[in-house]
């Protein structure tokens, strides 16, 4: 039997998105995550290229969590011939189902709109995947418990370990011939509003570590004070506070914060509209998997009753036409698509509008453009002047910062044979590489996209 394995970095190498890592050992091929590339055009175009491996040869896919950049390529993998099981925790698969379904609907709608209004150079514009392809993918889902070793073959077993970040998120431990492979996934925050602190690995022969915020420390912001001030400013300007939000975790955290501020009499009872079909569905997942978060049933019900859930596109336009001051929370978090574009289309050129960006804004997204001070922004084939005030709250990010990542490594008892930094832009990864070497003395690699590494077993 061969005494080595290989790993191929099929995504999230040299960039933040598109997580896909293929392990080949003892005749088995295991894919860790299967995400879409997001951000700059060069990365997005990679989504349309088939993987440089035979999808039908992959035995299983293990998912760290349900975000699009970790699950969004699954229907394409199935389309290329994958027939194995797609395995994750119950909340992860519930969220993945919601995200993939919603994503397919948006892609079908946008392709139809682009073809109808002819603002596409593709003839015709096509969705990245369809609802039918998503349904076929969901048939392959298989739930496994957290904190339980699962035997896959004579030489391979795996375990999901709670990791904060979003509901159901885990890091994955793979034991291959007595060597421990640890895939961090996305590491959560130590003092999250909704989730407990992440567990920490205790042994890692080969470590695959996210570096999204590898060069940054989150600001020690007074989140409640900042949001309270923005709400009062919005009311005084007789304007709108628009919060583009990730449907998973950030949306629920923002709803919780706004409800908490109202309960403390720090903000008035300003109307709050949630325009995210996906976010609404994820709220149901929170209700169903209450053991995975901190909220009591009474807190959950109270915060949900405090907001207005928009149920139709007709209600979206009624909300826009309503001239009273209000808070609008709409997908998507990086302003790459979704309902938030409808609001920005109408309100981005109004000085009374404030846009609050929360969470990570990947390079090449509209969210990053706004964060960087763009004077105009393009969507639906046209440019629109940015006259709205653009604010950001980095401390609401669901990702660990550099200090929290280093702390997450603190329980590892051995010196890893190799550490690979993934899921980060080059500057962030290199900063974390230097820091890990200084703090722990470990040698760290930063792999390139599609690179294959041999690992001794």
């Amino acid at each position: 039997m061969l005494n080595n394995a290989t790993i191929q970095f099929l995504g999230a190498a040299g960039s933040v998105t598109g997580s896909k890592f293929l392990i080949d050992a003892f005749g088995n091929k295991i894919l860790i995550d299967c995400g879409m590339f997001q951000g700059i055009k060069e990365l997005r175009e990679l989504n349309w290229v088939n993987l440089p491996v035979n999808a039908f040869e992959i035995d299983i896919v293990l998912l760290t969590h349900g975000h699009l950049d970790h699950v969004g390529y699954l229907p394409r993998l199935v389309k290329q011939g994958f027939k194995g099981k797609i395995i994750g925790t119950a909340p992860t698969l519930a969220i993945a189902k919601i995200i993939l379904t919603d994503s397919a609907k948006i892609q079908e709608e946008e392709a139809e709109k682009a073809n109808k209004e002819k603002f596409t150079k593709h003839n015709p514009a096509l969705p990245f995947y369809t609802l039918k392809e998503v349904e076929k993918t969901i048939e392959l889902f298989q739930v496994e418990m957290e904190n339980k070793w699962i035997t896959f073959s004579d030489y391979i077993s795996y375990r999901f370990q709670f990791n904060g970040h979003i509901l159901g998120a885990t890091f994955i431990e793979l034991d291959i011939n007595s060597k421990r492979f640890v895939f961090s996934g996305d590491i959560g925050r130590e003092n999250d509003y909704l989730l407990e602190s992440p567990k920490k690995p205790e042994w890692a022969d080969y470590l695959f570590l996210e570096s999204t915020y590898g060069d940054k420390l989150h600001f020690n912001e007074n989140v409640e004070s900042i949001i309270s001030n923005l709400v009062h400013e919005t009311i005084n300007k007789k304007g709108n506070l628009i919060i583009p939000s990730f449907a998973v975790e950030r949306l629920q955290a923002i709803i919780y914060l706004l409800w908490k501020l109202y309960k403390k009499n720090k903000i008035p009872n300003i109307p709050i509209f949630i325009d995210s079909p996906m976010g609404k569905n994820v709220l149901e997942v929170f209700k169903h998997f209450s053991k995975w978060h901190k909220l009591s049933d009474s807190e959950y019900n109270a915060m949900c009753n405090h907001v207005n859930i928009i149920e139709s596109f007709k209600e979206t336009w009624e909300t826009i036409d309503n001239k009273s001051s209000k808070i609008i929370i709409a997908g998507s978090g990086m302003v790459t698509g979704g309902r938030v574009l409808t609001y920005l289309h109408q309100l981005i050129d109004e000085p009374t509008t404030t846009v609050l960006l929360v969470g990570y804004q990947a390079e090449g997204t509209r969210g990053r453009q706004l964060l960087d001070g763009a004077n105009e922004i393009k969507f639906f084939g046209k440019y629109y002047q940015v006259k709205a005030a653009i604010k950001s709250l980095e401390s609401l990010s669901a990702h660990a910062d550099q200090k929290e990542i280093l702390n997450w490594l603190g329980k590892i008892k051995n010196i890893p044979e190799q550490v690979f930094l993934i899921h980060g832009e080059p500057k962030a990864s290199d900063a974390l590489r230097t820091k890990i070497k200084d703090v722990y003395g470990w040698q760290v690699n930063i792999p390139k996209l599609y690179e294959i590494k041999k690992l001794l077993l």
Side-chain angles (χ1 to χ4, degrees), residues 188-192 195-198 200 294 400 403-405 407-408:
R189 307 295 303 280
E190 292 177 358
N191 294 295
D192 191 89
L195 304 178
E196 300 293 344
S197 296
K200 297 173 182 177
K294 294 178 183 178
K403 182 180 178 182
E404 289 167 324
I405 293 171
N407 189 32
W408 188 80

Side-chain angles (χ1 to χ4, degrees), residues 313-329:
F313 206 51
K314 178 175 177 282
E315 289 180 18
T316 296
W317 282 100
E318 288 172 355
T319 304
I320 291 170
D321 292 338
N322 179 354
K323 299 303 179 186
S324 62
S325 291
K326 55 195 168 294
I327 300 170
I328 300 159
I329 307 170

Side-chain angles (χ1 to χ4, degrees), residues 89 144-150 158-162 170-171 173 199 292:
T89 65
E144 287 293 358
M145 293 176 63
E146 186 260 348
N147 195 28
K148 176 187 175 186
W149 281 105
I150 310 297
Y158 60 87
R159 178 169 68 169
F160 297 98
Q161 292 272 58
F162 181 86
T170 60
F171 64 90
E173 295 173 313
K199 290 183 180 179
W292 281 82

Side-chain angles (χ1 to χ4, degrees), residues 334-337 341 357 361-362 364-371 377-380:
M334 296 187 198
V335 201
T336 52
L341 293 185
L357 300 168
Q361 305 297 323
T365 62
R366 294 187 188 90
R368 175 66 78 88
Q369 291 167 20
L370 291 172
L371 192 64
I377 187 169
K378 184 181 181 182
F379 43 84
F380 303 150

Side-chain angles (χ1 to χ4, degrees), residues 24 29 46 74 138 163 190 227 268 300 349 394 422 429:
D24 190 341
K29 292 185 178 179
L46 291 175
L74 284 169
I138 291 167
N163 209 24
E190 292 177 358
I227 291 178
Y300 170 86
D349 61 351
E394 191 176 287
I422 52 175
S429 297

Side-chain angles (χ1 to χ4, degrees), residues 27-28 30 39 59 72 113 179 201 203 275 301 306 333 336 361 383 385 390 423 436 448-450 456:
N28 299 118
I30 300 172
D59 296 290
K113 183 180 176 70
K179 288 289 179 80
W203 194 276
D275 199 344
N301 290 328
H306 185 62
T336 52
Q361 305 297 323
Y383 284 95
Q385 287 273 299
I390 309 299
H423 218 280
I436 290 172
K448 293 181 172 60
L449 185 62
Y450 301 135
L456 294 177

Side-chain angles (χ1 to χ4, degrees), residues 240-251:
N240 297 286
L241 174 58
I242 300 175
I243 307 176
S245 179
F246 302 98
V248 186
E249 219 64 45
R250 291 314 86 191
L251 182 139

Side-chain angles (χ1 to χ4, degrees), residues 214-234:
D215 60 341
K216 290 183 180 176
L217 300 177
H218 292 313
F219 297 123
N220 188 17
E221 300 168 306
N222 186 330
V223 173
E224 292 189 14
S225 176
I226 291 169
I227 291 178
S228 177
N229 289 338
L230 285 175
V231 170
H232 285 286
E233 287 172 16
T234 298

